Amino acid sequence: MSDTLPTSNRQVRLLHRPEGLVRPEDFEIVEADVPPLAEGEALLRTVYLGMDATVRTWLNQGEGYLPAVEIGEVVRCSGVGQIVATNCDAYEIGDIAISLNGWQEHTVVRDDLYTTKMPPGTELLPMMSVFGSTGAAAYFGLLDIGQPKEGETVVVSAAAGATGSLVGQIAKIKGCRVVGIAGSDEKCAWVVDELGFDACINHRTDDLKASLKQHCPDRVDVYFDNVGGDILDAVLGGLNMHGRVVLCGAISVYNDKGRKGGPANYLNLIARRGRMEGFITLDFWDRFPECTTQLAAWAAEGKLHWRNHVVDGLERAPEALNMLFTGENIGKVIVQVAPERPPT
Ligand SMILES: NC(=O)c1ccc[n+]([C@@H]2O[C@H](COP(=O)([O-])OP(=O)(O)OC[C@H]3O[C@@H](n4cnc5c(N)ncnc54)[C@H](OP(=O)(O)O)[C@@H]3O)[C@@H](O)[C@H]2O)c1
């Protein structure tokens, strides 16, 4: 136990269910008390929050793979920080852990599936951008669900985003031809010139169908879908025999109300004997060390690069969440909640 427990905990709570992009008035910022720790609990001080588009889906009414955030609850979100007080044998003060911290300064954690202790000396920022759930989505989604083989063509959307930029690089490491789809020339230039993608299509200015034909002359063997909607439909139209479509996310429709439309080209899965399969990173959490070790090895070999788009201040979390939908980000959107070292 620490004898200098923080007494107050700034939180961002959901006030209204948003429509479309979130607005500041959909949330309230409150100073809550830090609760006393029960047996088996520890207090995690949040340093960084990783902005995930999934957070936006949790703000809607209705059941997803986790329940909706209720009105009045702290917004659920992954993060990384340090243990500052403990009543749990699994944690010591100073331990680094990733968890579902939520949009708040401190989180009560337990030794369970939602909190993972990291080795001493772990750098915090890359835990959000590459070694945490983002890296796991790219790694397991591409390799386990997409199963790319050397020489195959892999297409990835939101290619300059956190997940997509890692997917394309892993596919290159596996010897594939990689074509990205991104929302600006700057993003396309980054993934081709710096990350080594073979080509990138600007979905705002290029003719998607014609560009896919041009850059995927042997059709598409694996499509890693981060966006859904019209882009999913266009790539389904270019699928190769036995092509695999990895459904990682559908950010283009998360803000839509009601029933989402389906892709018109899904019949191509029959003609091309294709497979379309969704996944959730949590499904692979028991293999998290495998993923972290492999990504770290590739990074050490200079084969894996990433960018952080850091937004300063917990109160800017709603603004940071919107960046994923407006496409302002290159790489991982991260909110810095506190300095890396606790004040002494
Ligand atoms: N299944 C899982 O377990 C899992 C885990 C993590 C993430 N995800 C999903 O993976 C996807 C990427 O997440 P991320 O955190 O890595 O975000 P990100 O790619 O860093 O950011 C989102 C990007 O999506 C693109 N985008 C937004 N609206 C779009 C639209 N209408 N049409 C086309 N592109 C659009 C934007 O890029 P452009 O400028 O290029 O359009 C934006 O930068 C999300 O769908 C997320 O929900 C799933």
Side-chain angles (χ1 to χ4, degrees), residues 51-54 133-134 137 158-159 161-164 181-184 187 203-204 226-227 231 247-252 254 279-281 323-325 327 329 331-332:
M51 285 299 120
D52 294 319
T54 325
S133 61
T134 301
T163 310
I181 300 174
S184 73
K187 290 184 178 192
H203 69 83
R204 293 188 206 282
N226 285 312
V227 305
I231 295 178
L247 295 183
C248 177
I251 196 167
S252 74
Y254 288 164
F279 75 99
I280 294 292
T281 309
M323 288 175 179
L324 300 170
F325 293 85
N329 63 310
K332 182 75 184 176

Side-chain angles (χ1 to χ4, degrees), residues 18-318:
E19 292 194 6
L21 293 176
V22 300
R23 303 162 308 156
E25 51 271 38
D26 295 326
F27 307 94
E28 62 173 345
I29 299 180
V30 297
E31 290 286 343
D33 291 338
V34 174
L37 294 178
E39 186 64 38
E41 291 182 341
L43 194 67
L44 183 64
R45 168 187 176 270
T46 297
V47 177
Y48 297 113
L49 291 171
M51 285 299 120
D52 294 319
T54 325
V55 171
R56 178 62 189 82
T57 67
W58 293 332
L59 304 182
N60 293 336
Q61 191 74 59
E63 193 77 8
Y65 66 93
L66 287 179
V69 174
E70 292 301 331
I71 303 296
E73 278 185 354
V74 174
V75 177
R76 188 188 301 126
C77 179
S78 60
V80 64
Q82 293 131 345
I83 299 291
V84 291
T86 178
N87 207 359
C88 174
D89 291 343
Y91 304 115
E92 290 177 18
I93 289 175
D95 279 351
I96 295 163
I98 52 174
S99 187
L100 276 177
N101 302 41
W103 288 3
Q104 57 183 341
E105 290 174 330
H106 294 89
T107 313
V108 175
V109 296
R110 305 185 69 88
D111 182 20
D112 60 16
L113 175 69
Y114 296 110
T115 304
T116 305
K117 187 167 122 176
M118 303 310 302
T122 297
E123 281 186 68
L124 301 190
L125 203 48
M127 282 313 301
M128 292 290 91
S129 39
V130 63
F131 299 125
S133 61
T134 301
Y139 181 88
F140 294 117
L142 179 68
L143 299 182
D144 277 64
I145 312 292
Q147 299 176 9
K149 294 176 202 67
E150 193 175 344
E152 287 191 329
T153 298
V154 173
V155 171
V156 55
S157 51
T163 310
S165 59
L166 296 176
V167 167
Q169 293 178 85
I170 297 170
K172 282 307 300 177
I173 290 168
K174 295 292 174 184
C176 299
R177 171 173 179 78
V178 177
V179 177
I181 300 174
S184 73
D185 290 344
E186 184 193 2
K187 290 184 178 192
C188 283
W190 181 56
V191 303
V192 172
D193 299 341
E194 293 185 40
L195 304 187
F197 287 35
D198 296 283
C200 183
I201 299 165
N202 181 337
H203 69 83
R204 293 188 206 282
T205 55
D206 295 337
D207 177 330
L208 200 51
K209 198 172 160 195
S211 303
L212 281 166
K213 242 187 177 157
Q214 178 194 343
H215 295 299
C216 308
D218 299 325
R219 302 183 73 90
V220 179
D221 297 293
V222 179
Y223 173 47
F224 192 102
D225 186 27
N226 285 312
V227 305
D230 293 343
I231 295 178
L232 168 61
D233 210 19
V235 186
L236 272 173
L239 209 61
N240 205 355
M241 283 297 281
H242 306 291
R244 285 84 72 199
V245 177
V246 182
L247 295 183
C248 177
I251 196 167
S252 74
V253 297
Y254 288 164
N255 281 338
D256 294 353
K257 266 183 104 176
R259 200 179 153 89
K260 323 284 185 222
N265 278 330
Y266 80 95
L267 287 182
N268 226 15
L269 291 169
I270 304 172
R272 300 268 161 193
R273 282 73 153 179
R275 172 166 62 81
M276 183 147 92
E277 184 176 341
F279 75 99
I280 294 292
T281 309
L282 274 178
D283 305 341
F284 295 94
W285 218 238
D286 57 335
R287 288 171 55 201
F288 183 69
E290 168 199 326
C291 164
T292 311
T293 305
Q294 181 59 80
L295 293 176
W298 285 331
E301 290 165 23
K303 292 179 179 166
L304 210 57
H305 303 273
W306 59 89
R307 277 202 200 172
N308 303 309
H309 189 111
V310 181
V311 175
D312 205 21
L314 176 65
E315 64 288 349
R316 294 183 66 197

